[in-house]
Amino acid sequence: MTLHALREGDLVAVLAPAGPADPALLPAVEALYARHGLRVRLYPSCRAGFGAGSYLAGDDAARRADLHASLADDEVAALHGLRGGYGCMRLLDGIDSGQVRRAAKLLIGYSDITALHALWCHAGVPSLHAPMPASDLVKPGRGADEAALFSLLRTGLRAGEVLAPALDAQGLRAGGAAEGRLVGGNLSLVAALLGTPWAWPAAGAILFLEDINEELYRVDRLLTQLRLAGVLDAVAGFVLGSFTESTSPQVLLAQMLGRLGKPVLGGWPSGHGTPNRPLPLGLRVRIDAAAGTLEVREDFLPAK
């Protein structure tokens, strides 16, 4: 399914399907899109839950209603998660996947938004693992991430285009090349979705993983869960993003993934760290671990 690049004046829906954000940030969020010639509509969840001791941006029904409303509005060109946290999984069994498929709108976000990316993938709609306004883009020092995201939203990617960003030198690199559908996101959410109808399709896929604030034993446990579920054997290769705010898991990743004899392209600049560059999910890519590149094999957001 082909989505299209955003144009001057297009409307972006910003919603909070997971945790609450400080409402004081919202004027800066609105200014963010205006800088790039886009209109923005902040849905009620963006103003819910903060300061009330809640870890959710309003109750499930309200957050889900924002999602359905943004999908139903023909004026909305894309959906952008305000921030992550926790809560998207709670919505999955009440979201109309047929509406997601019919609306075919771009979903943007990362972290807990991984659960919604998985739903979009099952609906056959590509999505974008990318920084979010309240978590990243309105904070100081994120100008390069902002520029990269809004440039991609305007220009898209063409089949055959090769992404070759600067990689973290400490990232794991193993094996050669592989091609498959790029799936995944936050490791904790990828593991949590196992055994549900929204588990990421693993057979022949390229699995992207990143995480934050997970101690080594927890990364071990999550990867072991993926191994025991057959995911690590089923995928064709791996892209590894940032693993931040805890002990580096690079040795553990080498032990658990490097031994599989599959391409591992580590140090990719996506995830909770900085930089956090946009990465399209749900479409075919080819990774070359030796060259440090990812080639897009399908058009993503071509110009209208």
Side-chain angles (χ1 to χ4, degrees):
M1 183 175 294
T2 301
L3 307 180
H4 294 285
L6 301 188
R7 298 179 295 187
E8 185 83 13
D10 275 351
L11 179 66
V12 176
V14 175
L15 55 159
D22 185 349
L25 297 174
L26 297 183
V29 171
E30 293 177 305
L32 168 71
Y33 297 92
R35 285 198 296 273
H36 297 277
L38 298 169
R39 294 179 297 130
V40 62
R41 179 176 297 150
L42 302 178
Y43 280 73
S45 55
C46 294
R47 295 181 171 87
F50 186 77
S54 175
Y55 51 84
L56 299 170
D59 63 35
D60 293 350
R63 300 192 331 278
R64 190 182 293 116
D66 279 0
L67 186 64
H68 283 142
S70 60
L71 289 170
D73 190 336
D74 291 339
E75 194 178 8
V76 169
L79 285 59
H80 203 166
L82 180 63
R83 58 153 296 187
Y86 170 74
C88 290
M89 281 188 65
R90 295 169 58 112
L91 307 182
L92 290 177
D93 57 348
I95 295 173
D96 183 349
S97 59
Q99 186 180 14
V100 173
R101 185 178 302 108
R102 292 188 300 273
K105 295 182 181 182
L106 179 66
L107 171 70
I108 310 165
Y110 74 109
S111 192
D112 197 66
I113 309 298
T114 295
L116 298 181
H117 284 306
L119 187 154
W120 255 244
C121 182
H122 280 283
V125 184
S127 59
L128 190 61
H129 184 282
M132 297 176 289
S135 300
D136 311 276
L137 296 173
V138 301
K139 295 181 178 179
R142 303 308 290 265
D145 285 341
E146 176 185 335
L149 171 59
F150 284 94
S151 174
L152 177 56
L153 291 176
R154 285 301 191 91
T155 64
L157 297 167
R158 289 292 186 178
E161 192 164 345
V162 176
L163 307 181
L167 303 178
D168 184 340
Q170 303 303 312
L172 174 64
R173 304 269 286 279
E179 182 173 335
R181 193 166 303 281
L182 186 62
V183 304
N186 182 259
L187 171 60
S188 299
L189 269 295
V190 172
L193 289 170
L194 292 176
T196 77
W198 300 275
W200 286 95
I206 304 297
L207 179 61
F208 168 68
L209 298 172
E210 64 83 34
D211 219 319
I212 181 173
N213 198 28
E214 295 288 357
E215 294 295 338
L216 287 179
Y217 78 91
R218 293 202 292 261
V219 176
D220 187 325
R221 181 170 59 201
L222 293 164
L223 290 174
T224 298
Q225 185 178 1
L226 296 183
R227 178 179 65 83
L228 294 176
V231 171
L232 302 188
D233 285 336
V235 300
F238 302 89
V239 177
L240 303 178
S242 57
F243 287 79
T244 58
E245 297 187 19
S246 191
T247 303
S248 171
Q250 295 305 319
V251 173
L252 174 63
L253 291 168
Q255 291 171 345
M256 299 194 72
L257 303 182
R259 65 175 180 78
L260 297 174
K262 300 180 180 185
V264 182
L265 176 52
W268 196 267
S270 295
H272 284 80
T274 303
N276 183 8
R277 299 295 193 255
L279 187 63
L281 297 175
L283 74 164
R284 293 191 68 81
V285 301
R286 181 181 185 274
I287 60 169
D288 187 327
T293 59
L294 184 153
E295 179 185 348
V296 178
R297 306 291 276 182
E298 301 176 64
D299 288 347
F300 182 73
L301 301 183
K304 294 181 181 178

